Amino acid sequence: MEWAWLTPIFSFAAAPAVILFGKYLPGKGAVLSILAIGGGFAVFWFVLDSWLGANTGTSGCFTSENTGLLTCDYERSWFNAGVVGAVGSVSLNWGILIDPLTIAMLGLVTFVALMVQVYSLAYMKGDPRFGWYFAVHSLFAAAMLTLVLADNFLLLYVAWELVGICSYLLIGFWHERPQAREAAKKAFIVTRMGDVGLLIGILLIWRDVGSFSMLDAFEAVRTGAMSEGAATASAILLFLGAMGKSAQVPFHVWLPDAMEGPTPVSALIHAATMVVAGVYLVARTFPLFEAYDADPLMVVSIIGLVTALGAATIALVATDLKRILAYSTISHLGLMMLSLGAFGYTAAIFHMMAHGFSKALLFLGAGSVLHSTESQETGEMGGLRKVMPLTAIVFSIGALSLGGIPIFAGFWSKDEILIAVNDHRNVTFIVLTLVTALLSALYMARAMFLVFWGPLKDQNSHVHDAPPAMALPMALLGVLALGFGLISFNWPGSYGGIGTFVFFGHGESFHFEVWLGVVSIVMAVAAFVGAYKVYVDRSISLEGVRSRNSGFLKIVENKYYFDEVYQWTIDRVVLVFSRFIAYFDRAIVNDILVNGPADVTRKFGIMIRVHVTGHVYSYTLAMALGSVGLGIFVWLRVA
Amino acid sequence: MAWFVFILLAVLTIGGALGVVVTRNVVHAALALLVSLIAVAGVYLVLFAEFLALVQVLIYGGAIIIVLMFAIMLTRSSDYPRITDNKQWPLAAVAALAFLGVLVPSFLINKVEGTEAQNASFTGIGESLFTTWAVPFEIASLVLLVALIGAIIIARSDEEEG
Amino acid sequence: MVDLVYFQLLSAALFVIGLYGVMARRSAVLIVMSIELMLNAVNINLIAAASQMDGTGKFANFDGQLIAIFIITVAAAEVGLALAIILRMFRNKSTVNVDEINLMKW
């Protein structure tokens, strides 16, 4: 298990190799990159096997008193300043932390990354920067895996930023398009703003605990060495970073724009892996959040709920297929945060994985559609199931899964979330969560029916289905989206459901709340049926609803004007302030404070220079006056 | 009696000196210098330094004035009447007066009780010159040699070089 | 009998006049003449000092006269050199006015 660090290393090595030698390698380096991530996937299986066979006696492993899970920690010291352990000393280490959360993430990241890279072989074929694409993909996978394995905050932060850079590079991959450039900048800047909170939170923890190690921080919280104020403050600050990366309101504005990148990138980074880094962070540092009165968790759940509900409403009226999926991602991330905030640790992780598989599948299906029709507007699609049946099937699997239809993975995970919210939060929460669930079923059904059902437009009659390199990953992900729910059950043997694998505090085997399950099934089925009637049958018309709520509809269609407000703030506040600062720097700091003394010295020198006339007689005069002065000086001393 | 002579000689000295620094005509300045230097020789006589008076007249009056005259003759330029004073002569006057103002009080304050002057024998000077002051004597002759050679080199005209 | 101090005052006056001449005169030759005045003033002072006797009726020390001899020697050498330089200067610039010699600056 201590070899788990190999998982990112293959991809870390592949990235520069592809950049440097890509031209000479088969497939311009794509093959090397796929092999690297495949290697990582293989290592994941070894790690899982090894962990299952480990117990508290295995070296480096112990049962954590914070989480109640078997945790294995391996560290190598890198840099020490000051005496180790003394107050104010700094120790920087490489370390990996293996517990079920890590293993779940490792599996998710390596599998989805592998699928997406294989898919990209066909999707990005013919692109002039094919090699660079795979290099950045490798780097991203390596960074994400490091983030997940990191056992100290500093390594986490480094990997966090690295993941952000890869996201920027990939969103702006087609940098000839101005929208892509703007979107990449926006993504990076908005997430950076959240990262400020993350950094301050990490430093706050370091100041209280004295080391960057996560396990040390959790110990400090548990034993009360970290005060309530410090724990709450650092938890909220860490959550700010999570909000940025996981697109929670108000940091969500970058994710829809990030759809400017290639669709496989959207599938990997903005559905399954990078955006869940925030959720992972909150889950990993859960001891900080639930310490003392668990006030931060209330904040987390409120923000999660607002995000989930708001994004769902926008997804319902969006017309660009990728934007629908983007807002759906934001909404589901909000659900994950809500679940974490409601102490639904297992539910959140489970939903993270189920959503990851399903959303990646949806994005890959959308990519297949876009690859053929070359348009992203749902208004120009319709009836595509006649010409691309495989894509239609897998897309429908993903949509049904996220809509919450039973059997599919999404249903089980969403159900767990509903149970958690019901158990730990008041009535408002559960009601609004159920509304969100209904909306998510509605918009997924709408997307599905608009694209694949209905009459086939003439311009799309030439459209073909996905080639094998694209079809295979989609099919594999489809299987997972369909069957992943099975791991939540109690199986014969010692496996008691995912609740006993990944949990916080104590494990719970699978249980089912009947009334919640029935309500959610009914809602989901009704939503799908209703959407069918509206968009396929056209037997129900929405005109009446639209005209009555036209004001509210306008607000939602404009995404609640978040972008406009931000732009106004930047134009009127930030730029004005920065112009003032620039002026201050130029006029006062530079001209007066820096150039000033130099100017004064120069002018003074020029003034003084007058006395160097070049004429000997003036020097003689000076000598005479000097002697007079000396004489007077001697007089005064003697007298 | 000595006083009267001294006053006369002092007037001549100072008068000649003033003539050097005030007059507009260079030749008149040279002549005034001659008067001053001869008067200084007279002062040496009052102080019973006959050898020095001799040397003074011979060298200054006989050689240096002649050389100065040659220099004046060889460096005449055509602007006539000419301005012989600098731009900074008021300042120079002030500085000179300040200098005087420092010197005179210092002499007056450190007044030494004077004694009767006495005749210094030639043999005494000669003896002293070649025993106690022999080294400076030799060096002085070297200085003269070097100055002579230097003057020739500096003043030599350019066509003769190479 | 004239007191020492009067000789010293005479020497001071002569020196100051020479100093004024060096600073205020325009022609280089005139400046050399003024330098001669200054040297003579110093000589007067030295010889006046050398004329003092000690209590026994002998010269205390007539080194002053010897120093004055050397000063005259050096003055002669210096005048020769100075005038050689003035000749050279006149040849180059056809003027001996120090107003027009101002290369010794920045």
Side-chain angles (χ1 to χ4, degrees):
Chain A
M1 212 175 341
E2 45 280 13
W3 300 103
W5 60 271
L6 277 177
T7 323
I9 288 296
F10 293 132
S11 296
F12 263 127
V18 171
I19 295 177
L20 291 172
F21 307 115
K23 286 199 296 285
Y24 313 112
L25 294 173
K28 293 216 183 52
V31 174
L32 183 63
S33 172
I34 291 179
L35 279 177
I37 191 65
F41 188 54
V43 173
F44 154 71
W45 284 108
F46 284 118
V47 169
L48 174 65
D49 181 57
S50 170
W51 186 86
L52 285 173
N55 51 41
T56 49
T58 323
S59 83
C61 297
F62 55 93
T63 308
S64 163
E65 276 141 18
N66 290 305
T67 61
L69 294 163
L70 180 67
T71 312
C72 303
D73 180 41
Y74 304 98
E75 249 181 16
R76 183 140 302 170
S77 165
W78 179 47
F79 174 82
N80 284 317
V83 176
V84 174
V87 171
S89 71
V90 175
S91 295
L92 306 177
N93 303 315
W94 305 105
I96 56 175
L97 186 68
I98 315 275
D99 72 1
L101 174 63
T102 317
I103 295 179
M105 293 294 301
L106 278 180
L108 177 68
V109 173
T110 50
F111 183 68
V112 177
L114 181 60
M115 293 296 109
V116 167
Q117 286 196 13
V118 171
Y119 182 95
S120 305
L121 275 177
Y123 190 86
M124 302 295 290
K125 191 155 89 168
D127 193 289
R129 289 195 294 273
F130 193 70
W132 168 249
Y133 176 87
F134 276 94
V136 183
H137 250 289
S138 286
L139 187 62
F140 168 81
M144 188 70 207
L145 290 166
T146 311
L147 197 159
V148 161
L149 282 170
D151 88 324
N152 60 59
F153 282 108
L154 199 60
L155 190 58
L156 179 98
Y157 187 73
V158 170
W160 189 274
E161 295 300 331
L162 202 52
V163 164
I165 282 284
C166 293
S167 165
Y168 166 83
L169 288 171
L170 285 171
I171 294 174
F173 184 72
W174 287 318
H175 54 70
E176 298 85 10
R177 285 169 54 99
Q179 301 99 311
R181 295 199 293 267
E182 294 299 317
K185 269 197 302 196
K186 186 173 178 180
F188 193 63
I189 292 176
V190 172
T191 50
R192 268 316 246 152
M193 282 168 38
D195 292 349
V196 170
L198 178 63
L199 184 62
I200 298 179
I202 291 178
L203 291 175
L204 209 59
I205 293 174
W206 179 74
R207 196 181 66 124
D208 256 3
V209 174
S211 98
F212 286 109
S213 162
M214 290 184 193
L215 292 174
D216 287 350
F218 300 156
E219 262 314 291
V221 168
R222 193 179 66 88
T223 58
M226 197 191 282
S227 66
E228 178 174 358
T232 310
S234 38
I236 300 283
L237 286 166
L238 289 176
F239 184 57
L240 265 179
M243 277 164 72
K245 268 285 191 294
S246 292
Q248 304 295 301
V249 168
F251 291 102
H252 67 283
V253 290
W254 67 270
L255 195 57
D257 284 20
M259 298 297 115
E260 294 292 333
T263 312
V265 166
S266 306
L268 177 63
I269 299 187
H270 306 122
T273 40
M274 186 183 95
V275 292
V276 298
V279 178
Y280 166 78
L281 179 68
V282 175
R284 171 63 81 208
T285 54
F286 211 66
L288 276 174
F289 280 83
E290 63 114 32
Y292 301 100
D293 293 329
D295 294 324
L297 285 183
M298 182 50 111
V299 175
V300 171
S301 46
I302 291 177
I303 290 191
L305 182 62
V306 168
T307 307
L309 197 50
T313 54
I314 301 180
L316 201 49
V317 297
T319 55
D320 181 322
L321 180 60
K322 282 181 79 172
R323 293 275 186 299
I324 299 177
L325 294 177
Y327 280 105
S328 162
T329 308
I330 300 178
S331 176
H332 279 275
L333 288 169
L335 275 179
M336 288 180 225
M337 286 298 187
L338 171 63
S339 170
L340 278 173
F343 297 91
Y345 191 87
T346 313
I349 306 302
F350 186 23
H351 191 63
M352 184 168 72
M353 300 182 72
H355 168 266
F357 296 132
S358 312
K359 192 48 74 54
L361 177 60
L362 283 170
F363 267 110
L364 293 184
S368 166
V369 170
L370 297 179
H371 195 64
S372 301
T373 61
E374 308 197 4
S375 152
Q376 287 182 209
E377 289 293 324
T378 51
E380 298 178 21
M381 304 175 192
L384 288 176
R385 70 188 157 95
K386 300 182 187 121
V387 284
M388 32 170 52
L390 176 63
T391 310
I393 291 176
V394 294
F395 194 91
S396 309
I397 292 178
L400 290 170
S401 168
L402 282 184
I405 300 292
I407 311 180
F408 295 91
F411 165 72
W412 301 109
S413 60
K414 201 180 291 189
D415 209 53
E416 298 274 337
I417 295 181
L418 290 170
I419 294 174
V421 172
N422 188 42
D423 281 346
H424 294 109
R425 294 281 174 222
N426 65 36
V427 176
T428 330
F429 276 86
I430 188 69
V431 166
L432 289 174
T433 314
L434 283 170
V435 170
T436 311
L438 174 66
L439 285 176
S440 61
L442 268 175
Y443 64 68
M444 282 296 20
R446 169 175 175 263
M448 189 171 95
F449 290 133
L450 271 179
V451 173
F452 291 100
W453 264 257
L456 181 64
K457 293 198 164 49
D458 290 330
Q459 74 235 36
N460 292 334
S461 49
H462 69 284
V463 163
H464 61 87
D465 209 343
M470 282 161 64
L472 179 59
M474 290 202 289
L476 285 175
L477 281 171
V479 168
L480 271 178
L482 189 59
F484 195 65
L486 294 172
I487 71 162
S488 70
F489 296 133
N490 301 325
W491 289 98
S494 55
Y495 183 67
I498 192 165
T500 57
F501 179 67
V502 174
F503 55 84
F504 190 83
H506 56 276
E508 279 181 23
S509 50
F510 174 74
H511 67 287
F512 190 72
E513 285 254 4
V514 177
W515 70 271
L516 264 179
V518 167
V519 167
S520 63
I521 293 175
V522 164
M523 279 194 329
V525 170
F528 270 83
V529 167
Y532 185 81
K533 284 205 182 312
V534 170
Y535 294 108
V536 182
D537 260 358
R538 313 267 166 186
S539 52
I540 303 179
S541 166
L542 289 178
E543 286 310 313
V545 179
R546 276 182 192 268
S547 55
R548 271 199 306 261
N549 298 325
S550 57
F552 183 64
L553 184 68
K554 191 159 181 300
I555 296 179
V556 175
E557 271 177 359
N558 281 314
K559 304 164 286 176
Y560 297 99
Y561 297 110
F562 265 96
D563 284 322
E564 284 76 13
V565 169
Y566 285 156
Q567 189 62 45
W568 182 90
T569 312
I570 291 175
D571 283 340
R572 292 308 182 85
V573 177
V574 174
L575 283 181
V576 167
F577 184 64
S578 52
R579 266 180 224 124
F580 168 70
I581 293 282
Y583 168 76
F584 181 79
D585 179 59
R586 208 175 42 247
I588 297 183
V589 173
N590 191 46
D591 286 347
I592 296 182
L593 292 180
V594 173
N595 286 347
D599 271 344
V600 166
T601 310
R602 196 166 54 91
K603 291 203 175 81
F604 188 66
I606 292 176
M607 258 179 8
I608 300 269
R609 212 163 52 171
V610 172
H611 83 281
V612 183
T613 58
H615 294 127
V616 181
Y617 54 80
S618 35
Y619 301 152
T620 315
L621 177 64
M623 272 168 30
L625 286 172
S627 316
V628 168
L630 261 179
I632 295 178
F633 177 67
V634 170
W635 258 5
L636 291 175
R637 293 211 33 187
V638 167
Chain B
M1 174 63 177
W3 263 104
F4 175 68
V5 174
F6 173 71
I7 295 290
L8 177 65
L9 288 169
V11 165
L12 277 174
T13 313
I14 302 290
L18 283 172
V20 170
V21 300
V22 164
T23 181
R24 310 266 296 256
N25 187 325
V26 188
V27 180
H28 291 177
L31 290 172
L33 182 66
L34 180 61
V35 165
S36 186
L37 293 178
I38 303 297
V40 168
V43 170
Y44 293 165
L45 278 175
V46 169
L47 286 168
F48 287 99
E50 292 114 0
F51 181 62
L52 259 299
L54 202 63
V55 167
Q56 170 91 352
V57 172
L58 273 174
I59 294 182
Y60 269 112
I64 290 183
I65 296 291
I66 307 298
V67 171
L68 276 169
M69 287 291 194
F70 269 109
I72 293 170
M73 174 189 80
L74 288 169
T75 60
R76 292 292 249 196
S77 52
S78 57
D79 55 339
Y80 191 68
R82 80 177 81 139
I83 310 165
T84 46
D85 273 349
N86 250 331
K87 288 186 301 233
Q88 66 167 27
W89 65 268
L91 266 176
V94 167
L97 283 171
F99 209 91
L100 188 65
V102 170
L103 272 182
V104 165
S106 58
F107 280 138
L108 288 175
I109 288 173
N110 299 321
K111 214 162 158 179
V112 176
E113 199 50 52
T115 59
E116 186 80 33
Q118 191 203 326
N119 194 351
S121 65
F122 273 51
T123 52
I125 291 184
E127 236 181 83
S128 198
L129 190 59
F130 290 106
T131 55
T132 321
W133 293 84
V135 175
F137 179 74
E138 298 298 331
I139 294 177
S141 62
L142 266 176
V143 166
L144 282 169
L145 176 68
V146 167
L148 187 64
I149 297 175
I152 292 175
I153 294 176
I154 292 176
R156 155 168 91 165
S157 60
D158 288 323
E159 309 94 60
E160 297 165 9
E161 285 182 45
Chain C
M1 182 200 82
V2 185
D3 232 354
L4 173 66
V5 70
Y6 295 103
F7 288 103
Q8 287 177 328
L9 286 175
L10 174 65
S11 130
L14 195 58
F15 186 86
V16 164
I17 294 174
L19 186 65
Y20 171 76
V22 168
M23 294 194 284
R25 294 303 250 168
R26 205 153 168 257
S27 163
V29 180
L30 286 168
I31 293 180
V32 171
M33 290 186 206
S34 310
I35 293 177
E36 293 312 311
L37 284 175
M38 284 160 76
L39 287 166
N40 276 285
V42 170
N43 275 350
I44 293 179
N45 204 353
L46 282 165
I47 292 172
S51 72
Q52 299 308 301
M53 288 191 293
D54 63 12
T56 65
K58 288 273 195 158
F59 269 114
N61 194 345
F62 57 84
D63 283 344
Q65 296 192 14
L66 289 157
I67 297 177
I69 292 180
F70 287 120
I71 290 180
I72 296 178
T73 313
V74 169
E78 168 219 338
V79 165
L81 271 171
L83 295 174
I85 293 175
I86 291 173
L87 280 174
R88 169 67 76 164
M89 192 165 84
F90 182 75
R91 223 179 281 154
N92 280 343
K93 290 187 170 225
S94 66
T95 177
V96 290
N97 288 335
V98 293
D99 272 351
E100 294 158 38
I101 316 289
N102 60 356
L103 293 175
M104 214 162 69
K105 63 172 180 178
W106 41 272

